[in-house]
Amino acid sequence: MVPDTALKPDEGGERARERADAGRLQRLNILIGALSVPLFVLLWELVARSGIVNIVLFPPPSVVAVAIFEWMRSGQFFLDLTASLYRVTTGFMIGAALGIFLGIMTGQFPIVSSLLSPLFHILRPIPPIAFVPIVILWFGLSETGKLFLVVWGVFFTVWLSTHIGVQKVDRGLIRAALMLGTPRRQMLQEIILLGALPYIVVGLRTAVSISFYTLVAAELAGTFAGIVYRIEIAQQNLQTGQVMGGLAALGLISFAADRMFAALAERTVWWR
Amino acid sequence: MQPGHRSKAKLSLAIPQPATATERREPAIQVSNLSIVFDTERGQLIAVDRVSFDVPHGEFVCIVGPSGCGKSTVLNTIAGLEVPFEGEILVEGLPVHRPRPDVGMVFQQPHLFPWKSVRRNIAHGPRMLGKSAQQANAIADDLIAMVGLKRFADAYPNTLSGGMQQRVAIARALANQPRVLLMDEPFGALDAQTRAVMQDNLLELRDRIKATIVFVTHDIDEAIVLADRVLIMSAGPGRILRQLNVDLPRPRSNAILLEPTYLALKKDCLDVIRAEGLRAFRQSDET
């Protein structure tokens, strides 16, 4: 009994201390997290200005900021942004629609799958960038060629995840729906499509980043406006600040797109 | 007409019309000479071997047997989910080729549509048969009250306990007012207390819906508590060994588990099963 009671206050103090320590550690982590980017920018500024590196090739963030400001003020940024976003979103929509449609067809109907799956599996591993030369031959520098590349990149990812999703729909749900007299069309619309949705959404999210990769290839292939196009032009003029500004813009846009899509996905398949 | 009045009228539809003299002679389910063969890697496997039985209108039949004896396969075939290798199945006098809305089924897992609320899960069947959303919801609400889930009408399946989910599954199967209700170990995944409550609920429900019920289980106690008649099946290949009439008074509840008549019945069942188990054991020893 005696050692028991003797232990208690000590133990309580220990716990309180541990809790306080854990709280302090958490606050410290948040603080360090908030400092991560500013510290990096500061270090970058110092290194760029110190003279160890060539300031033309490695401009400090202040120069990059000025370049971005100029880019925006001239109105060119807005044109570049809309051109790039148009390509990404249109290409994504077309590729995703095709991918979902054909994924349901191959997932649901063995005949369609026998016909198309071998072909798709051969074409799928070819990196979309490898198609740039032939796209230029086919479409020249037109928008169609750009869209083709993005659609190509998005399609296979979405097709494969939809195909797998349809095949993985819980057989029990299908049997239950059959017993309730669900006709073929409703089965496809209600049970198969919604049952496969978690897989489809994962495919679509992967396709968001793929559409940005292919955008880079598409715009490097030659165009007249676009974020990546602006980066290339700036590189040719040795405007390194502008190059880095373009990279930052591209990073921010694809980050925002991914985050938005993740939030949307969570709401779409909320029952998961 | 008052809403309450209308819903009562709809409920009465769930009760099959009183059978006429000719109907009464014809059983609700006729299984004749049913054999089911599966293709496996080691050749063909006879899962069910020439099984025949009839179920009269309104009867509650339990099929008991060890796992793998083909009792679920028999049920799936009556449901039209599986195709017989040989033999014929008539439900309400009509041969079964595919799932039919006058045959309802409850599976071991609830298999509720996770993206639909309790009400919309139950309304699914009537909707598919062409009822308006309003009509289907009215049917669903009646059944929700019947299975005691009024508070959970708008809840989604992932927020319900296993027992509640299975109650929704039963209500959903009843929403199309089936003449025949098939149940494949519906309480097998539940804990003992919940299972006992569910059995009592099912007995109450059964008095109200008056459908013909075929209930598959491996639990002898469950079979005797619920059934008018118990069919005992053997494994490999599945055959019907014995039929036992359960002449225990109704309304029943789990309380009969201790009565002498009950225990005598259970002893009969166990004797049949033990003899069969020994035979199967010797057989497997020889081969």
Side-chain angles (χ1 to χ4, degrees):
Chain A
M1 275 295 129
V2 177
D4 207 332
T5 46
L7 258 174
K8 255 177 195 160
D10 205 345
E11 201 183 81
E14 190 75 18
R15 281 219 192 110
R17 218 170 301 138
E18 270 173 26
R19 260 201 302 277
D21 282 352
R24 218 169 297 142
L25 203 66
Q26 203 181 358
R27 277 199 297 280
L28 191 68
N29 275 336
I30 292 170
L31 188 71
I32 290 176
L35 283 177
S36 163
V37 175
L39 270 178
F40 172 75
V41 170
L42 183 70
L43 191 72
W44 175 5
E45 182 82 35
L46 289 177
V47 170
R49 297 236 179 247
S50 66
I52 337 170
V53 292
N54 184 338
I55 199 162
V56 176
L57 295 181
F58 194 75
S62 48
V63 173
V64 175
V66 170
I68 293 175
F69 180 73
E70 282 301 318
W71 190 16
M72 284 180 162
R73 211 187 48 164
S74 68
Q76 195 63 53
F77 174 76
F78 184 70
L79 292 178
D80 288 335
L81 184 71
T82 44
S84 289
L85 281 184
Y86 168 77
R87 284 171 197 137
V88 167
T89 47
T90 316
F92 181 85
M93 301 276 217
I94 297 172
L98 276 175
I100 292 173
F101 175 71
L102 285 173
I104 289 175
M105 296 302 281
T106 57
Q108 183 69 1
F109 306 107
I111 298 175
V112 184
S113 181
S114 305
L115 182 70
L116 297 179
S117 294
L119 179 71
F120 287 173
H121 280 298
I122 290 171
L123 293 177
R124 194 172 61 89
I126 307 174
I129 301 171
F131 283 90
V132 168
I134 195 132
V135 162
I136 293 176
L137 282 183
W138 285 345
F139 303 104
L141 300 184
S142 69
E143 279 306 302
T144 322
K146 314 280 169 287
L147 284 182
F148 177 86
L149 284 172
V150 179
V151 168
W152 187 272
V154 168
F155 168 75
F156 287 105
T157 309
V158 176
W159 165 73
L160 188 65
S161 57
T162 307
H163 176 84
I164 292 173
V166 167
Q167 302 216 304
K168 293 231 164 150
V169 173
D170 184 358
R171 308 315 295 173
L173 286 187
I174 294 176
R175 291 181 140 214
L178 271 176
M179 289 312 296
L180 294 169
T182 313
R184 237 189 143 75
R185 225 184 102 174
Q186 259 86 359
M187 186 69 90
L188 212 59
Q189 279 174 359
E190 287 208 28
I191 313 301
I192 310 262
L193 191 59
L194 286 175
L197 200 57
Y199 286 84
I200 298 176
V201 161
V202 169
L204 288 175
R205 190 172 170 195
T206 318
V208 170
S209 21
I210 290 179
S211 63
F212 278 94
Y213 298 155
T214 41
L215 175 78
V216 174
E219 292 193 1
L220 285 181
T223 177
F224 309 103
I227 305 244
V228 183
Y229 165 76
R230 194 59 50 201
I231 293 175
E232 202 195 3
I233 294 296
Q235 178 246 339
Q236 284 165 11
N237 296 336
L238 213 63
Q239 295 167 307
T240 331
Q242 169 81 75
V243 171
M244 288 180 167
L247 287 176
L250 197 63
L252 272 177
I253 295 164
S254 59
F255 174 77
D258 182 65
R259 272 303 127 113
M260 264 167 56
F261 200 88
L264 200 72
E266 210 160 286
R267 234 155 277 176
T268 319
V269 286
W270 51 268
W271 63 85
R272 268 273 148 140
Chain B
M1 223 187 256
Q2 297 158 285
H5 200 92
R6 217 181 65 208
S7 69
K8 205 174 268 171
K10 216 162 264 146
L11 248 185
S12 71
L13 285 176
I15 302 165
Q17 303 306 311
T20 61
T22 48
E23 261 185 335
R24 207 169 265 139
R25 255 179 268 128
E26 177 187 84
I29 303 169
Q30 287 168 279
V31 177
S32 39
N33 234 3
L34 175 69
S35 294
I36 296 159
V37 175
F38 289 130
D39 289 317
T40 64
E41 284 165 16
R42 280 178 290 165
Q44 290 195 318
L45 175 83
I46 302 172
V48 176
D49 188 18
R50 283 163 292 165
V51 164
S52 297
F53 62 91
D54 286 354
V55 185
H57 283 279
E59 195 184 37
F60 194 138
V61 171
C62 278
I63 304 179
V64 282
S67 28
C69 75
K71 53 193 191 304
S72 294
T73 312
V74 171
L75 207 67
N76 285 335
T77 318
I78 300 174
L81 291 170
E82 262 164 65
V83 184
F85 178 75
E86 219 175 29
E88 197 181 27
I89 292 174
L90 300 177
V91 172
E92 301 285 332
L94 297 169
V96 175
H97 297 300
R98 60 183 68 83
R100 276 163 39 180
D102 61 337
V103 179
M105 180 126 176
V106 180
F107 303 88
Q108 181 167 8
Q109 299 300 323
H111 293 315
L112 301 177
F113 307 125
W115 49 82
K116 289 185 179 220
S117 68
V118 166
R119 181 181 288 115
R120 292 199 45 225
N121 258 284
I122 299 172
H124 180 86
R127 286 292 284 149
M128 293 299 114
L129 297 190
K131 294 236 163 46
S132 72
Q134 211 177 354
Q135 284 173 312
N137 282 339
I139 294 172
D141 284 336
D142 285 344
L143 286 162
I144 288 168
M146 228 199 257
V147 294
L149 286 174
K150 263 186 178 162
R151 273 177 50 220
F152 299 93
D154 295 308
Y156 283 87
N158 60 3
T159 63
L160 304 179
S161 71
M164 290 198 279
Q165 289 189 21
Q166 203 56 289
R167 263 141 76 189
V168 178
I170 293 171
R172 185 176 64 172
L174 291 175
N176 280 348
Q177 300 163 351
R179 309 276 301 228
V180 169
L181 181 62
L182 308 173
M183 307 183 88
D184 186 4
E185 299 197 42
F187 310 145
L190 304 176
D191 60 79
Q193 284 101 322
T194 312
R195 198 181 315 153
V197 173
M198 293 292 284
Q199 288 165 0
D200 288 348
N201 284 347
L202 178 63
L203 286 173
E204 276 173 41
L205 205 61
R206 188 249 176 161
D207 288 340
R208 281 197 261 176
I209 57 164
K210 300 274 193 291
T212 308
I213 300 177
V214 182
F215 187 107
V216 160
T217 176
H218 60 252
D219 180 345
I220 298 161
D221 287 319
E222 183 167 72
I224 301 175
V225 167
L226 296 174
D228 299 318
R229 188 158 54 109
V230 178
L231 307 180
I232 303 174
M233 274 186 79
S234 69
R239 284 202 190 99
I240 291 181
L241 287 178
R242 180 84 71 86
Q243 302 194 14
L244 287 172
N245 287 317
V246 183
D247 293 321
L248 294 168
R250 292 192 186 268
R252 285 182 210 159
S253 78
N254 247 277
I256 63 163
L257 284 171
L258 295 170
E259 284 184 23
T261 35
Y262 172 84
L263 291 171
L265 267 170
K266 186 174 175 180
K267 186 176 176 306
D268 280 356
C269 284
L270 288 172
D271 285 346
V272 174
I273 289 164
R274 191 175 302 118
E276 172 59 19
L278 279 172
R279 191 194 61 78
F281 184 76
R282 285 203 207 98
Q283 204 176 37
S284 68
D285 224 26
E286 282 161 17
T287 49

